[in-house]
Amino acid sequence: MERILTGAKLVECFSQNKDELIIVFEKDQHYIPIKAHLLSTFSCLAFPWDFHRARKNSIDLFPEITGRTVEAIQQFENERSFAFHFGDEQSLLFKMHGNKSNIILFNGDEKTLFKNSLPGDEQIVLGEMDRAIDFSKPAFEKNIHSLKKLYFTFGEVVWQYRKEKGFYDQPLNQQWEMISDTLQKLNSPTFFQTKLNNEIIFSLLPVGEILKESTNPMEAVTDFFYAYTQTHSLSTEKDKAIGMLTSKLKASQSFLNKTTSKLKDLKIENTYKIWADLLMANLYSIPERAKKISLPDFQDPSRQIEIPLSETLSPQLNAERYYRKSKNHQIEINRLEESIQNKSEEIKSLEQQLAELQQSTHLKELRQYVEKFGLEKKPQEEVIFLPYRAIEFQGFQIWIGKNSKANDELTLKHSYKEDLWLHAKDVAGSHVLIKYKSGKPFPKEVIERGAQLAAHFSKRKNESLCPVAYTQKKFVRKRKGDPAGAVVVEKETVILVKPIGV
């Protein structure tokens, strides 16, 4: 970056979402964009040679340095941070600290944070960011049991690399040689895009399953950025879609098991026809008005079957009643068998969908499957909670406030001056509006109905007659400081009605 961007002019700096900043430099009539992706789960820089700024949802940032030229680029010693220096005490710091990554503009004594959610970054001092590490052999030998603390810039990948090379099984001198070799590789690196622990990572050491390698750092990290984001998106969306299908499959299987069990019980317990046949075979031996009767089983005459009877029905009508129940019983069996067949076919289809989803290896292909199987999470329709309940009477809309706060909203925000406003006289209750219809006067019956509702939704709802005041909405006003639901009414008319609800 020092070779390419020193002397470049910053021409544009903008954000299209809260976790991403795009900075565009211009040098020798060429544009050089930097995309800083600062999610809490993944922070990375990319250098796309082509970019498009969205027409909407885009905001310019750090205008103080727009048009300024990069005089120097500073990499802080043993720090995951670097800065562009523009002169006049203006610097742009890139602090690449994982989930605490941020970009900070230093403008004299003032600081502007890209991510205001990290207020501790206000305390950063550029001149104090370098961190020393003693890479000498004596320091190595002294700290042989706390090397991770000594070499704090070595991440887990470095120690994984050393472990793969058998570092911990070597004598002290051989371990020092391996550390020296690691330092040499880190200072003159090849850049690897590799798969380690089933995740794509960017490494300066050849660990895990090497996918790509390069000697151009800007191209390598950009290629890694797009590979990681695409793979991560594929994994995230795939897990989500598979989770939805698995839940559907689990619910369908549970339904199938319960229905199959119910069907089995119904087939075993289908005794209504047996009872009806026994009654018909023994009509003349059954006493009238009997509540139950015991009759010998057709299959085993030594066994008696007890049959409940309705004493208000004759033996023949009791038999007919059980024949009807038997018929309904069979209808239920047929319905359950149909449900089982349909659900079995649905499970087979879900299992096939799940197999296709699991085999998808590209994001585009996965999204086609998600659309094909109807797995998109549809945005929930916004539920609008109205402050009133509404009824219609003789073609007129009558709106009734739900509580004191809703009364204010109904009267002040959902009414027109021509509407008729009603309220039970001298007691707490709902505001009621009869909505005005152009060119039509309010009929007497409609006014009475509105008054009945105002009386019912008030403290006088249990009285035999209730006085209700009504007037046009334009004669109702609210004074500043009045409690919720309280209004001042002018030019009112009072009517006596019986409280009647909806």
Side-chain angles (χ1 to χ4, degrees), residues 1-4 44-49 186-193 202-204 213-225:
M1 282 197 296
E2 188 174 37
R3 176 178 58 83
I4 295 173
C44 185
L45 298 181
F47 302 86
W49 294 108
L186 292 175
N187 288 324
S188 303
T190 298
F191 305 97
F192 298 95
Q193 187 182 129
F202 187 75
S203 173
L204 305 185
E213 61 181 274
S214 172
T215 56
N216 186 315
M218 293 171 71
E219 289 181 2
V221 75
T222 301
D223 192 47
F224 162 73
F225 170 79

Side-chain angles (χ1 to χ4, degrees), residues 24-72:
V24 184
F25 295 92
E26 188 271 328
K27 184 178 182 182
D28 299 332
Q29 298 183 343
H30 292 289
Y31 290 105
I32 309 164
I34 299 178
K35 179 186 285 189
H37 194 72
L38 306 181
L39 282 172
S40 60
T41 54
F42 176 63
S43 60
C44 185
L45 298 181
F47 302 86
W49 294 108
D50 186 24
F51 76 96
H52 300 281
R53 181 171 183 174
R55 294 182 180 180
K56 295 181 179 179
N57 301 323
S58 177
I59 182 172
D60 289 308
L61 295 173
F62 304 141
E64 300 93 332
I65 54 174
T66 301
R68 300 300 303 273
T69 299
V70 178
E71 295 185 358

Side-chain angles (χ1 to χ4, degrees), residues 305-458:
I305 295 178
E306 186 177 277
I307 304 172
L309 299 174
S310 172
E311 59 182 319
T312 61
L313 300 177
S314 68
Q316 184 173 348
L317 289 178
N318 268 297
E320 290 176 2
R321 179 167 68 97
Y322 282 128
Y323 277 129
R324 284 195 302 272
K325 285 192 173 186
S326 175
K327 183 179 179 181
N328 292 336
H329 195 84
Q330 186 59 47
I331 291 172
E332 177 67 7
I333 288 174
N334 295 340
R335 187 187 68 80
L336 291 177
E337 287 177 338
E338 183 180 357
S339 294
I340 288 171
Q341 182 180 350
N342 292 338
K343 192 60 68 173
S344 297
E345 291 174 358
E346 181 183 316
I347 288 173
K348 186 177 179 180
S349 175
L350 288 171
E351 288 174 340
Q352 184 178 351
Q353 292 175 23
L354 191 58
E356 291 183 36
L357 273 179
Q358 289 171 334
Q359 290 172 5
S360 59
T361 56
H362 295 90
L363 191 58
K364 184 178 180 181
E365 179 187 36
L366 173 70
R367 287 173 176 170
Q368 287 174 345
Y369 282 136
V370 167
E371 183 178 359
K372 174 184 173 182
F373 301 147
L375 298 175
E376 304 100 327
K377 190 171 183 181
K378 297 179 181 179
Q380 292 185 345
E381 293 185 7
E382 184 180 358
V383 180
I384 300 175
F385 295 96
L386 295 173
Y388 57 84
R389 56 176 64 87
I391 70 164
E392 184 177 333
F393 184 77
Q394 293 188 7
F396 283 82
Q397 286 288 319
I398 303 177
W399 294 355
I400 309 153
K402 293 180 177 179
N403 51 51
S404 56
K405 185 177 178 181
N407 282 339
D408 277 351
E409 192 172 347
L410 171 64
T411 299
L412 303 176
K413 296 182 180 179
H414 293 269
S415 63
Y416 296 96
K417 62 181 181 179
E418 296 87 356
D419 293 343
L420 198 66
W421 183 92
L422 305 93
H423 193 279
K425 187 74 174 170
D426 299 329
V427 291
S430 293
H431 293 192
V432 174
L433 286 178
I434 303 176
K435 301 300 290 180
Y436 175 71
K437 297 179 70 174
S438 180
K440 292 188 177 182
F442 296 104
K444 179 181 177 182
E445 295 85 357
V446 174
I447 297 174
E448 287 179 352
R449 184 67 184 113
Q452 290 170 348
L453 290 165
H456 177 79
F457 291 99
S458 77

Side-chain angles (χ1 to χ4, degrees), residues 51-115:
F51 76 96
H52 300 281
R53 181 171 183 174
R55 294 182 180 180
K56 295 181 179 179
N57 301 323
S58 177
I59 182 172
D60 289 308
L61 295 173
F62 304 141
E64 300 93 332
I65 54 174
T66 301
R68 300 300 303 273
T69 299
V70 178
E71 295 185 358
I73 299 176
Q74 179 182 4
Q75 168 65 54
F76 295 98
E77 186 178 1
N78 299 313
E79 249 294 354
R80 289 174 291 169
S81 303
F82 64 92
F84 292 109
H85 297 303
F86 298 93
D88 296 332
E89 297 185 318
Q90 288 183 322
S91 298
L92 191 64
L93 173 68
F94 287 72
K95 188 192 77 162
M96 306 303 291
H97 284 196
N99 61 2
K100 294 185 179 180
S101 295
N102 205 353
I103 297 174
I104 304 129
L105 173 64
F106 290 78
N107 189 14
D109 294 331
E110 297 181 0
K111 297 185 186 75
T112 304
L113 308 185
F114 172 62
K115 296 182 73 170

Side-chain angles (χ1 to χ4, degrees), residues 194-291:
T194 180
K195 195 170 186 180
L196 185 66
N197 299 326
N198 207 34
E199 184 177 355
I200 292 179
I201 64 168
F202 187 75
S203 173
L204 305 185
L205 297 170
V207 294
E209 177 189 349
I210 307 299
L211 303 176
K212 289 184 180 180
E213 61 181 274
S214 172
T215 56
N216 186 315
M218 293 171 71
E219 289 181 2
V221 75
T222 301
D223 192 47
F224 162 73
F225 170 79
Y226 288 112
Y228 179 91
T229 52
Q230 188 173 50
T231 302
H232 183 72
S233 296
L234 173 65
S235 176
T236 301
E237 293 186 29
K238 191 173 185 177
D239 288 346
K240 183 178 177 182
I242 288 174
M244 291 178 68
L245 269 183
T246 302
S247 295
K248 284 185 177 183
L249 193 57
K250 186 177 179 181
S252 296
Q253 192 62 58
S254 175
F255 175 86
L256 182 63
N257 293 340
K258 289 178 181 177
T259 307
T260 302
S261 177
K262 186 176 180 182
L263 177 62
K264 183 179 178 181
D265 292 341
L266 277 176
K267 285 183 174 180
I268 292 173
E269 296 174 3
N270 189 5
T271 57
Y272 294 130
K273 189 173 185 305
I274 295 173
W275 289 358
D277 289 342
L278 282 171
L279 290 175
M280 290 300 294
N282 297 275
L283 279 178
Y284 301 107
S285 63
I286 301 171
E288 293 291 332
R289 307 186 69 81
K291 294 182 180 181

